[in-house]
Amino acid sequence: MILLTGGTGLVGSQLLLDLSISGKKIRVLRRVQSDMSVVRNVFSSFPEKFNSIEWVEGDVNDIFSLEDALKDVHTVYHSAAFVSFYPSDKSKMMKVNIEGTANMVNTALRMGVKRFCHVSSTAALGRVSGDQQLNEDSWWKPSKENSNYAVSKYGAEREVWRAMEEGLDAFIINPSIVLGRGNWKSGSSQMFSQVWKGLPFYVTGTTGFVDVRDVSKATRMLMEKGIRNERYILNSENLPYRKVFDLIADALGKKRAGIKVTPLMAEIGWRLEKIKSTFANSRPMITRETARSGLMQWSYANEKIKKEIGIDFIPLRESVSFVSQAFLSDMQNVH
């Protein structure tokens, strides 16, 4: 039996689909209030596979529900995480991502789980802006450029490494920004809805991108190969945000962004959004973290994973085209 956490999210739903297609017996831990729309969309062409999955209610911060979920489980894919760049979500993010991961690995050790994969993020590698490319040997450095999310994922990884020392047979994957059929109102998938609505501004930063199908493929291959006590960056290409947004605009038949965001504009922008959201009693579209990260230059290596499993990453142009078609299909179904 396989246990998957985070099965209703972007990475988890794709991993769940691919595991179910391969005939694996899968149990998924989900919270009572989990939004099932993403995973239902991903499984839209495979309803019989969706019905074969065992769904159990629980929470990574509820030890008793974890013990029940891990009964007769030999393999765990832990992709559950809370992602936010709002300062008000910091404590919840630390509790879910760090404490929740600690609960997962501790319970896995007690229950005799044989194999464990932790889905992390390149954010957990820390931030070194400029010409230096981050790889699996990069050391975390305390920095004001590290977001609260990055801190929480780094803390989660420390729990996994600690569990490895205690005997857990585990490995870690660090995907860059994942492109896939996710929640069009949040996360990386929101880029497509932003362009669809009209996006006049572009930022000058660069970062890594990877197709969700490659994340699932690489993760499953590493698990089948028996990899342990290792981490792998999953990154297809390092590209300017502007290039990616241009590709999305072209794929959706929308106008490309033409106004460059300067550092001054970014600083003014997030402050105005904060004031506006305070009076409107809503969440700001831009935060200090997102405004500043959009101007940074990040670069991630991918040689280790290529050497390990020989994967050829899907080109970003193809990924954008694939996800854009999924977006258009979902928008058509909504209307």
Side-chain angles (χ1 to χ4, degrees), residues 23-85:
K24 304 292 185 181
K25 190 175 181 182
I26 314 161
R27 180 182 296 157
V28 183
L29 182 73
R30 64 176 289 266
R31 291 173 294 113
V32 176
Q33 68 272 31
S34 291
D35 180 359
M36 300 288 286
S37 60
V38 171
V39 67
R40 288 190 182 279
N41 283 342
V42 171
F43 273 81
S44 58
S45 299
F46 303 90
E48 74 287 352
K49 295 297 182 182
F50 184 84
N51 295 330
S52 70
I53 297 165
E54 179 187 349
W55 295 87
V56 296
E57 293 182 352
D59 193 289
V60 293
N61 289 117
D62 178 355
I63 302 296
F64 296 109
S65 70
L66 293 185
E67 290 177 344
D68 290 338
L70 282 166
K71 287 179 180 176
D72 303 318
V73 167
H74 54 75
T75 301
V76 172
Y77 292 91
H78 176 46
S79 67
F82 182 52
V83 184
S84 176
F85 297 97

Side-chain angles (χ1 to χ4, degrees), residues 62-311:
D62 178 355
I63 302 296
F64 296 109
S65 70
L66 293 185
E67 290 177 344
D68 290 338
L70 282 166
K71 287 179 180 176
D72 303 318
V73 167
H74 54 75
T75 301
V76 172
Y77 292 91
H78 176 46
S79 67
F82 182 52
V83 184
S84 176
F85 297 97
Y86 297 106
S88 59
D89 288 333
K90 179 180 178 180
S91 62
K92 179 181 178 181
M93 195 156 47
M94 299 301 167
K95 184 172 181 64
V96 172
N97 296 353
I98 301 178
E99 185 179 322
T101 299
N103 293 335
M104 282 296 302
V105 295
N106 291 342
T107 309
L109 281 166
R110 284 201 310 274
M111 302 291 287
V113 168
K114 303 299 183 185
R115 301 279 290 131
F116 191 103
C117 169
H118 174 61
V119 180
S120 186
S121 166
T122 50
L125 300 173
R127 299 301 199 186
V128 181
S129 184
D131 297 331
Q132 183 176 345
Q133 187 173 78
L134 290 158
N135 59 36
E136 288 82 356
D137 296 323
S138 297
W139 286 85
W140 171 273
K141 296 178 182 179
S143 168
K144 63 181 181 180
E145 293 176 0
N146 291 321
S147 65
N148 289 327
Y149 172 67
V151 173
S152 74
K153 295 300 284 185
Y154 170 67
E157 282 198 10
R158 291 184 63 179
E159 295 295 339
V160 179
W161 288 113
R162 184 262 305 165
M164 290 183 200
E165 290 295 322
E166 295 176 7
L168 185 64
D169 193 340
F171 66 93
I172 296 170
I173 60 166
N174 297 88
S176 51
I177 292 182
V178 182
L179 298 183
R181 190 176 195 169
N183 185 336
W184 305 117
K185 296 180 180 180
S186 66
S188 57
S189 300
Q190 189 178 15
M191 293 190 296
F192 293 83
S193 56
Q194 288 175 333
V195 173
W196 178 255
K197 293 175 183 177
L199 192 66
F201 301 96
Y202 69 87
V203 292
T204 56
T206 299
T207 193
F209 297 86
V210 65
D211 193 297
V212 70
R213 294 168 294 175
D214 279 337
V215 175
S216 173
K217 179 181 179 180
T219 303
R220 290 178 289 112
M221 289 180 71
L222 290 170
M223 184 67 82
E224 292 166 6
K225 194 172 181 180
I227 297 299
R228 60 193 302 269
N229 300 342
E230 294 283 354
R231 78 147 90 236
Y232 295 88
I233 292 173
L234 305 184
N235 182 51
S236 174
E237 299 175 54
N238 299 297
L239 290 174
Y241 285 103
R242 185 184 187 185
K243 174 66 174 178
V244 176
F245 277 102
D246 282 351
L247 289 173
I248 295 173
D250 293 346
L252 296 180
K254 296 293 180 176
K255 184 179 179 180
R256 291 183 174 187
I259 304 174
K260 177 181 177 180
V261 176
T262 64
L264 178 60
M265 288 172 64
E267 291 299 311
I268 294 173
W270 74 259
R271 287 175 170 85
L272 290 177
E273 270 295 310
K274 184 176 181 180
I275 295 171
K276 176 183 173 183
S277 63
T278 300
F279 283 102
N281 195 27
S282 63
R283 291 206 158 192
M285 291 181 61
I286 306 168
T287 67
R288 177 171 59 182
E289 289 183 352
T290 57
R292 293 178 178 176
S293 66
L295 302 178
M296 297 296 182
Q297 310 296 320
W298 315 122
S299 179
Y300 302 99
N302 61 12
E303 287 80 13
K304 183 177 179 180
I305 188 65
K306 285 184 174 181
K307 182 178 180 181
E308 188 65 65
I309 60 174
I311 188 172

